Amino acid sequence: MIPRKISFGIVLVLAVGTALAADIKPVALRTEYLANPLGLDTAAPRLQWQLVSDKRGAKQTAYRILVASSARKLAQHQGDLWDSGKVASDASTQIAYAGKPLASGQACFWQVQVWDRDGRAARWSEPAQWRRGLLNATDWKAQWISYRDDDPVQTSRATLFLPPARHH
């Protein structure tokens, strides 16, 4: 059995930890209005999120966006592609990516942290991601998938045979 003092201490630590975190949470992260899109063709995709809270009148007063080149770096809160820093704003839509230039086909992992009206930081959002499309002709390495036919295409209308149209 846990002594009363220890169990009281655990409850107190949990209560204080919960009270220090903001009462809002960013959810439903989107990039160009899509959840985890693949093949984006824009150099500066627009980011957005929704806020949820159990408290009435909860409001975002600032945000911080991290964009990383790998999920591992993002989990360590390393925004090697972009770290917006704390931005004093209530905006949660149309936030344009303003980090390092992105390569064709590059994967980007991102998350956001917000601050509430009392200046308390919320926990980081769940991660989201997007991938740039193959934007240059040299990025495409595929060939046509078809039956190999070396016969020349019909070049003479005199020898071209077209069957009559069917009338039903």
Side-chain angles (χ1 to χ4, degrees), residues 151-162:
D151 292 340
V153 178
Q154 287 287 343
T155 57
S156 169
R157 289 181 180 233
T159 61
L160 181 63
F161 172 74
L162 292 175

Side-chain angles (χ1 to χ4, degrees), residues 88-155:
S89 171
D90 62 353
S92 61
T93 63
Q94 302 289 321
I95 311 296
Y97 171 80
K100 294 179 181 175
L102 301 174
S104 181
Q106 182 171 5
C108 300
F109 301 85
W110 72 285
Q111 63 186 167
V112 62
Q113 181 180 38
V114 298
W115 280 260
D116 69 3
R117 67 174 55 215
D118 298 322
R120 294 178 300 186
R123 290 188 172 87
W124 284 99
S125 68
E126 293 297 317
Q129 63 180 311
W130 82 82
R131 184 176 292 271
R132 294 277 319 266
L134 300 178
L135 305 176
N136 305 317
T138 57
D139 296 334
W140 294 91
K141 306 291 185 214
Q143 296 178 358
W144 289 103
I145 300 172
S146 68
Y147 171 74
R148 185 110 178 134
D149 185 7
D150 293 329
D151 292 340
V153 178
Q154 287 287 343
T155 57

Side-chain angles (χ1 to χ4, degrees), residues 14-135:
L14 291 174
V16 168
T18 303
L20 293 178
D23 57 355
I24 57 176
K25 181 175 182 176
V27 296
L29 277 63
R30 301 272 190 260
T31 306
E32 289 294 323
Y33 305 102
L34 301 169
N36 300 325
L38 301 174
L40 291 181
D41 62 351
T42 179
R46 295 164 295 179
L47 310 175
Q48 68 182 43
W49 57 90
Q50 296 175 1
L51 298 170
V52 295
S53 177
D54 292 336
K55 296 198 176 187
R56 187 176 189 157
K59 178 183 173 182
Q60 168 190 313
T61 58
Y63 66 84
R64 179 181 176 199
I65 299 172
L66 289 180
V67 182
S69 58
S70 72
R72 182 180 52 78
K73 287 182 180 177
L74 188 63
Q76 298 169 352
H77 302 298
Q78 295 176 357
D80 63 328
L81 297 176
W82 184 40
D83 182 346
S84 71
K86 184 177 178 181
V87 177
S89 171
D90 62 353
S92 61
T93 63
Q94 302 289 321
I95 311 296
Y97 171 80
K100 294 179 181 175
L102 301 174
S104 181
Q106 182 171 5
C108 300
F109 301 85
W110 72 285
Q111 63 186 167
V112 62
Q113 181 180 38
V114 298
W115 280 260
D116 69 3
R117 67 174 55 215
D118 298 322
R120 294 178 300 186
R123 290 188 172 87
W124 284 99
S125 68
E126 293 297 317
Q129 63 180 311
W130 82 82
R131 184 176 292 271
R132 294 277 319 266
L134 300 178
L135 305 176

